[in-house]
Amino acid sequence: MSMSRKHYRALAEILRHAHECYPEAANALDRVTQDVAGICAEDNHHFRRQQFYDAARPETS
């Protein structure tokens, strides 16, 4: 059974928070985000990677 949108959103929020708290670890967190997105995509073929990436990264100004 695949996860719900609520779970994907929670994962993205956790990753965004980590990016905001630990900007010096951006490269490692990007790799983790890509790995999580890959797992989610395997779990649910309707999963939208780019939308997840955008939600998991802090907005740049």
Side-chain angles (χ1 to χ4, degrees), residues 8 11-12 15 33 36-37 47-56:
Y8 295 132
L11 282 170
L15 289 165
T33 301
V36 169
F47 180 76
R48 294 186 179 112
R49 283 181 190 247
Q50 190 59 50
Q51 187 176 355
F52 182 79
Y53 292 148
D54 293 344

Side-chain angles (χ1 to χ4, degrees), residues 4 8 11-13 15-16 21 27-28 30 32-35 38 40 52 58:
S4 70
Y8 295 132
L11 282 170
E13 288 175 16
L15 289 165
R16 177 185 290 262
C21 291
N27 290 335
D30 284 341
V32 169
T33 301
Q34 290 172 1
D35 289 345
C40 292
F52 182 79

Side-chain angles (χ1 to χ4, degrees), residues 2-49:
S2 63
M3 293 190 303
S4 70
R5 286 188 186 132
K6 161 176 91 171
H7 293 111
Y8 295 132
R9 224 174 332 205
L11 282 170
E13 288 175 16
I14 290 166
L15 289 165
R16 177 185 290 262
H17 183 71
H19 273 282
E20 291 169 349
C21 291
Y22 305 103
E24 67 280 1
N27 290 335
L29 288 167
D30 284 341
R31 286 192 300 274
V32 169
T33 301
Q34 290 172 1
D35 289 345
V36 169
I39 292 166
C40 292
E42 288 176 10
D43 183 52
N44 181 345
H45 68 279
H46 294 292
F47 180 76
R48 294 186 179 112
R49 283 181 190 247

